[in-house]
Amino acid sequence: MPGLRHQPTPAEPESAKSESRRIVIFEPNQADLDKAVLGRDVSAGLAKFFENLLQRKKWVRKINIPSRHDDVAAVLLFTTTLKEGGLEILSELHIYCAGKTMIEKWEVAGEWQQIRSLPQESFQAIDITKVRVDGNVVSVDFTVPSSEGQSGLYFTQFDFSSDEPPVRTVPHPLLRKSI
């Protein structure tokens, strides 16, 4: 993928790679992504992960690459699927870490669910606020809008050393009974 691999030039110190900045891109396209990662030595696997996400028929809302990590990313997606019973709407959090991908799907509206019965806030954007890496565990903090006009702070963890399935579907954070 052009633009995603970067090797330091002789005039650029090797330490520049270790002092990389956090990258956050809203509603990205390939040009935005190439521009944002300029100067980062993004791994080939991460570049392929981005390529696959941007080529799919899903709406990529936000890409978050934490500082000092060129092989980790958190991506928020919005997907809809027309099914027999109606439209299924999901928000998805895709986490890439060192060659593996894990996905958490948040059901906004199920196939048979009446959309008008759901809180309006469940259709507003969830926002990643922080991505932390501790060995094989990636933690993601995110905010969810609430009806009071404030945002609730939530977090989820992905353990890449475990045998848990790569995809898990959970209720939307606003619809969970206890978090």
Side-chain angles (χ1 to χ4, degrees), residues 34-161:
D34 288 346
K35 183 179 176 184
V37 299
L38 190 63
R40 294 282 294 263
D41 187 17
V42 175
S43 74
L46 184 56
K48 185 68 174 166
F49 170 75
F50 288 140
E51 180 181 330
N52 289 339
L53 286 177
L54 292 175
Q55 289 179 354
R56 291 189 184 156
K57 301 288 185 222
K58 296 180 178 184
W59 175 29
V60 178
R61 293 194 309 214
K62 186 174 184 180
I63 293 176
N64 189 310
I65 306 170
S67 337
R68 297 181 304 277
H69 293 281
D70 295 321
D71 204 21
V72 175
V75 179
L76 280 172
L77 302 166
F78 181 73
T79 64
T80 58
T81 306
L82 185 56
K83 295 192 169 184
E84 184 179 321
L87 190 63
E88 178 183 60
I89 303 170
L90 299 169
S91 285
E92 298 179 4
L93 177 61
H94 291 233
I95 304 297
Y96 178 88
C97 180
K100 292 177 70 178
T101 302
M102 296 183 94
I103 301 168
E104 186 169 279
K105 294 181 177 189
W106 300 316
E107 186 176 74
V108 176
E111 170 182 0
W112 301 97
Q113 197 164 17
Q114 292 292 322
I115 292 176
R116 65 180 168 267
S117 67
L118 297 170
Q120 187 63 33
E121 295 80 20
S122 62
F123 296 98
Q124 296 177 4
I126 292 172
D127 187 26
I128 297 172
T129 56
K130 189 175 223 174
V131 179
R132 292 181 310 281
V133 182
D134 184 18
N136 290 321
V137 176
V138 177
S139 301
V140 180
D141 295 351
F142 56 95
T143 57
V144 179
S146 70
S147 58
E148 294 84 37
Q150 299 176 349
S151 295
L153 183 62
Y154 300 88
F155 78 97
T156 188
Q157 289 187 324
F158 299 84
D159 185 350
F160 283 85
S161 64

Side-chain angles (χ1 to χ4, degrees), residues 1-9 12 16-17 19-25 29-43 46 50 65 70:
M1 182 186 309
L4 282 185
R5 297 290 291 162
H6 173 75
Q7 300 298 322
T9 62
E12 182 180 1
K17 289 191 321 186
E19 297 173 8
S20 59
R21 73 209 180 288
R22 175 179 154 209
I23 296 173
V24 177
I25 312 166
N29 59 36
Q30 188 61 55
D32 294 337
L33 182 59
D34 288 346
K35 183 179 176 184
V37 299
L38 190 63
R40 294 282 294 263
D41 187 17
V42 175
S43 74
L46 184 56
F50 288 140
I65 306 170
D70 295 321

